[in-house]
Amino acid sequence: MRMLPLILSATVASVAPAALFAEDIPLRAEVRAVTLYPSGGTVTREATFSAPQGEHELILLDLPRDTDLDSVRVAVEGAAMGTLTTRRDYVPPRDPAKGEAIEAAEAEVERLEEALRGARAEIEGVRLEQEAAEARVAFLAALGQGDGVAQMEPAALRELIELVGDETLSAKQAAQAARLRAEAAERDLKDLTEDLQAAREALAALVPQEGPHAMLAVAIEADAATEGRITLSYNVHQAGWQPVYDMRLDRQSGQLEIARGAYVSQASGENWQAVDLTLSTVRPVEQTEPSEVHPWQRWITDKDAPQPVLKTLRGAAADDFARAEMAAEPAPAIVAEAEFDGLSVSYRYNRPLSLASGADRVRIDLGTLETTTETYARAVPLADSSAFLMADMTNDTGEMILPGMVMKYLDGKFVGRGYSELVPAGAEADIAFGPIDGLRLTRRIEDRQEGDRGVIRKSNDMNEAVRIEVENLTGEDWPVRLRDRVPYSEQEQLEITWEAAPRVSESDLDGQRGVLEWHFDLAAGETKVVKLDQWLKWPEDKVLR
C-alpha cells in the first residue's frame, strides 16, 4: 500500500525514471539512548528495516512535532543513503497504537462504567418494587375504610379483614425487602464509584502520547535485497537535569560527606521507555565561543557639547557579554558512573530508565564524595544578630561540584537548605551550616558628627565611630571571622580614612573594596570588642552621596 503518494508525486519531476518504482517503507524508530544536559538533550532512535533491490524511502512518523528538525542527523547501515526530507505540517496519520498498559487501563475503566450503569439500573428496579409494594399497602388501607364495609355480613367482613391483613403484611414485607436490597445496592454502588475513580486516575497516570507529530523520510538505494538499520539523533529543548546534594558535616572530625544526585525530567512530547541515559555537564545553550575585543576610540569635546549616544550590545551579544562577566546501613544504591574527557563530565546510568513526558521527575544517584573541612564561625553584625557555622573546604575529590540545591545536615540533624555554586576540582569553598545562636552580635554607632545635620548633607566632613561586640554564650571556644565594611572612594576630592582596633586581618576581601575581616579565637563566656572609626571629607560645594 502506498502510504505517502503526495510525497512521491511531488518529487517525480526531479528524479530519475527508476525512482517511479520506489517503495515507501514505514518504520517505527524507538528511543534507545538519551544524553541530557543541564538544559536540553540529545535523543537517539533506532529502527531495523528490510528493503528489496532498488530505490526506496524509509518513512518515520513517530517524531514529536516540536522536534528540532534542523538538528536531525541520520546514519544508515545496509544501504546507500540519499536525501533526507523532514516535514512538520501535512503529516499523514500514523498507527494509533496505544500500548498494552493503556489499552488494559482503558478496558478496566470501560468495564467499571458498564458495571456502574448496571448497578444503577438494578437500584432503580428495586426502588420500583418498593413503590409498588407501598402502593398495595395504601390501596388495602383504603379498601378497609370503604362506605360499603359497614353493611357487610359478619362472615364476609371477617374474610375481608383477614384478606386485607394478610395482603397488607405481605406488601409491607415486600416493601421492606426492596428497601433493604436498595440500600445494599447503594453501598455497593459507592464502592463501584470509588473503583471507577481509581481506574480513571490510573489511566491518567499512564501519560498517553497524543498530539501531532513530525515526519522524516530517508531515501536509500540497495543493490540487492537487504536487511539494514537506521539510526537518527536530534536535539530536544524541553528536557534537562539538575544536580542536588545532601551535605553531611561531622563537627568533631570536620569530615564532610557529599551525597550527589540529579533530578531528570523531560517534556519532549513522547514517553521514553527503558532508554540508556547519560548526564553531561556540557552546556550547549550557553556561550560556545570566546568574546571579541573591539577597538576603543576616545575623544574630547567642549564641556558644553552634547554627549554622543553610545552604542550598546543587544540581543544575544549582550547576553554573551553578561555571561562573560558574570541511621541503619542503607542498601547499595544504583549509581551513575562518571567519565571525564578533560573538558566536561558525563554520568552514565547503568540501568534502563523510563521517563514520562511532562509528568515524571526522577532522582538518580551520582555517588558520594568525601573530604575534610575546617570549621569556624562567620560573624556579620552589619546584617545578622548571630554568627553562622561555616565549613572551609578545598575540593580535593577530583571531581567538580556543580551548581545545585543542597540539603544540609549537621551531626546527623537537618539544619536547612541552600544552593551550591560551581566548585571546580582543587578550588576552595565555604559552606554554611546554620546559625550559632550562642554567638551573639551587636553593632552600634557610638558617635556621628557632621558639619550640617540637614537631610541633604552639605557639610564637608563626617566622622563615625562604630562599636562591634561578639559575645560567646555557647560554652565552647570558637574560631571567629568577623566581617564589616568601610566606605571607599574613587574621587580625589572625596577623602576617606579609617582605623580599626584591633587591626584587621584582611582588607578588600576577595577583591571587594572596603570589605574588612578580623580573625580571632573567642573563648567560652568571653566578649570581643572591635572599634571601627572612619572620617570623610569633601569640598564645601559638593554633596555626599
Side-chain angles (χ1 to χ4, degrees), residues 29-37 39-45 62-64 67 206-209 234-241 263-279 351-360 362 364:
E30 302 290 343
V31 177
R32 299 299 185 192
V34 176
T35 297
L36 286 181
Y37 315 112
S39 179
T42 298
V43 174
T44 301
R45 312 178 81 103
D62 49 1
L63 300 182
T67 297
L206 291 176
V207 194
Q209 302 174 91
Y234 53 87
N235 297 332
V236 293
H237 304 295
Q238 296 81 16
W241 69 282
Y263 281 118
V264 298
S265 60
Q266 61 99 357
S268 65
E270 65 177 341
N271 299 333
W272 297 340
Q273 300 292 337
V275 301
D276 294 332
L277 179 67
T278 299
L279 306 181
R351 294 290 190 280
L353 184 78
S354 297
L355 201 61
S357 176
D360 290 342
V362 178
I364 294 174

Side-chain angles (χ1 to χ4, degrees), residues 327-404:
E329 186 69 21
I334 300 174
V335 180
E337 299 177 357
E339 299 177 1
F340 304 87
D341 63 7
L343 296 177
S344 63
V345 182
S346 295
Y347 301 93
R348 187 178 301 278
Y349 195 62
N350 57 6
R351 294 290 190 280
L353 184 78
S354 297
L355 201 61
S357 176
D360 290 342
R361 187 169 183 254
V362 178
R363 176 167 175 163
I364 294 174
D365 194 340
L366 301 183
T368 300
L369 304 175
E370 292 186 354
T371 187
T372 55
T373 67
E374 180 180 334
T375 59
Y376 68 93
R378 177 179 291 175
V380 187
L382 185 65
D384 304 325
S385 59
S386 298
F388 283 76
L389 175 62
M390 306 295 295
D392 184 4
M393 64 163 284
T394 298
N395 185 8
D396 55 4
T397 64
E399 298 187 29
M400 70 174 69
I401 299 174
L402 301 170

Side-chain angles (χ1 to χ4, degrees), residues 157-271:
L157 182 60
R158 282 195 297 272
E159 291 179 1
L160 178 61
I161 292 173
E162 290 179 359
L163 176 62
V164 171
D166 291 343
E167 290 297 325
T168 299
L169 177 60
S170 176
K172 287 186 176 181
Q173 288 175 339
Q176 182 184 30
R179 178 177 58 80
L180 293 175
R181 286 167 52 203
E183 290 175 352
E186 290 282 2
R187 289 192 294 271
D188 293 340
L189 183 66
K190 180 181 178 182
D191 294 339
L192 195 59
T193 302
E194 293 175 352
D195 291 343
L196 177 59
Q197 179 63 26
R200 286 172 173 168
E201 292 175 355
L203 174 60
L206 291 176
V207 194
Q209 302 174 91
E210 300 176 351
H213 284 69
M215 185 205 76
L216 177 68
V218 181
I220 63 169
E221 182 177 353
D223 296 334
T226 184
E227 302 286 332
R229 177 187 302 274
I230 180 173
T231 303
L232 64 147
S233 64
Y234 53 87
N235 297 332
V236 293
H237 304 295
Q238 296 81 16
W241 69 282
Q242 298 175 330
V244 61
Y245 303 94
D246 289 347
M247 292 190 177
R248 303 178 184 274
L249 176 64
D250 183 273
R251 270 195 60 203
Q252 186 67 28
S253 63
Q255 192 76 12
L256 178 64
E257 180 183 277
I258 306 173
R260 302 171 300 163
Y263 281 118
V264 298
S265 60
Q266 61 99 357
S268 65
E270 65 177 341
N271 299 333

Side-chain angles (χ1 to χ4, degrees), residues 429-456:
D430 286 337
I431 305 171
F433 281 88
I436 307 170
D437 294 329
L439 287 181
R440 300 173 58 181
L441 313 177
T442 57
R443 184 184 192 275
R444 64 178 182 270
I445 299 175
E446 291 189 320
D447 185 27
R448 172 180 287 170
Q449 297 179 355
E450 300 183 39
D452 184 345
R453 297 184 180 273
V455 176
I456 300 178

Side-chain angles (χ1 to χ4, degrees), residues 56-60 74 76 81 83-85 216-220 230:
H56 313 282
E57 280 195 332
L58 306 178
I59 308 297
L60 297 94
V74 178
V76 175
M81 187 177 74
T83 60
L84 176 65
T85 303
L216 177 68
V218 181
I220 63 169
I230 180 173

